[in-house]
Amino acid sequence: MNIGTASELSHLPVKTIRYYEEIGLIEPTRSGNGYRDFSEVDVQRLKFLQRARGLGFSIEECRDLLSLYEDRNRASADVKALTRAKIQEVDRKISELKSLKRVLETLAEACHGDDRPDCPIIDDLAGKNDLDQD
């Protein structure tokens, strides 16, 4: 099948599919005229990548997951370890976002939000404020 059909079936943009080919995540065959020819296996790989990327796995993590996906002798413990590492990363990001939210809330509370030009938010961004920022 052509790249447009593979795009529709995998729910990935054509540009993304070309990128995945460029970095070696997929390797569709080429027909005599040079056009990409995607197989059902290629589309399954694309769907796998689409889902893994949607769950926040990086390109390199996807490369590792694809390797495990294709290895019928894989240990599920390896897949679980990658997933647990991703969970730790997500937890770290959640913690960072919560901290960021607290800082923003502190700044918003310090601002009068009226017609006056003085603004603690601007002062903080300019490094002129000493508001508690966790």
Side-chain angles (χ1 to χ4, degrees):
M1 72 189 77
N2 66 26
I3 196 167
T5 303
S7 172
E8 289 175 22
L9 293 173
S10 65
H11 305 287
L12 287 170
V14 168
K15 186 174 181 178
T16 301
I17 295 172
R18 287 187 182 121
Y19 174 68
Y20 287 169
E21 180 185 14
E22 182 182 317
I23 62 173
L25 286 176
I26 58 164
E27 296 178 16
T29 58
R30 296 280 181 159
S31 60
N33 59 8
Y35 289 115
R36 293 169 184 85
D37 186 21
F38 292 87
S39 67
E40 291 296 324
V41 171
D42 293 325
V43 171
Q44 286 304 313
R45 286 176 64 98
L46 290 169
K47 287 179 179 179
F48 183 95
L49 289 166
Q50 190 268 351
R51 178 70 174 143
R53 294 288 289 152
L55 289 172
F57 288 100
S58 70
I59 293 292
E60 286 310 309
E61 290 166 335
C62 285
R63 194 178 303 280
D64 293 340
L65 287 167
L66 270 174
S67 178
L68 290 166
Y69 171 68
E70 294 172 342
D71 180 1
R72 295 294 166 208
N73 296 316
R74 69 183 167 261
S76 64
D78 295 336
V79 181
K80 186 173 185 173
L82 282 171
T83 303
R84 290 250 185 239
K86 181 52 66 181
I87 291 168
Q88 289 177 336
E89 182 183 329
V90 168
D91 284 340
R92 182 187 51 75
K93 286 180 181 180
I94 288 170
S95 178
E96 289 172 2
L97 287 171
K98 285 180 178 180
S99 178
L100 176 62
K101 180 182 178 197
R102 284 191 301 273
V103 170
L104 291 170
E105 286 173 339
T106 299
L107 290 171
E109 288 172 16
C111 183
H112 297 288
D114 55 19
D115 292 334
R116 291 183 281 181
D118 62 313
C119 177
I121 299 169
I122 294 294
D123 290 345
D124 182 83
L125 294 173
K128 298 178 185 176
N129 220 357
D130 290 329
L131 292 177
D132 180 28
Q133 297 192 12
D134 292 284

